[in-house]
Amino acid sequence: MSVRPRSGVEIPELTARVARASNPKGAAAMWVRDRLDGLWSDEDFVAWYPRDGRAGISPAQLATVSVL
């Protein structure tokens, strides 16, 4: 597994609109993501992965999911 840093990954606008419409007060996962967004970036984890190999899942997203 290797890391291909991705920056500026956004939630699609329609997805965000549907999530807010179905949860007007927000959900715990939405609250955490809104506050932790940008806390980690894939570049923070590049040294932990080899340079070659198939691209793995974003380590920044994995870190955020671990907090959830």
Side-chain angles (χ1 to χ4, degrees), residues 2-36:
S2 66
V3 168
R4 306 283 194 294
R6 300 179 307 163
S7 60
V9 177
E10 297 283 327
I11 296 174
E13 191 248 327
L14 180 59
T15 303
R17 206 169 358 135
V18 169
R20 297 282 177 212
S22 64
N23 297 296
K25 294 181 180 179
M30 293 165 60
W31 185 88
V32 169
R33 194 226 183 250
D34 289 344
R35 281 146 185 86
L36 294 183

Side-chain angles (χ1 to χ4, degrees), residues 49-63:
Y49 288 82
R51 292 179 184 231
D52 57 349
R54 196 173 100 203
I57 297 172
S58 165
Q61 287 178 339
L62 290 173

Side-chain angles (χ1 to χ4, degrees), residues 57-68:
I57 297 172
S58 165
Q61 287 178 339
L62 290 173
T64 303
V65 168
S66 296
V67 170
L68 290 175

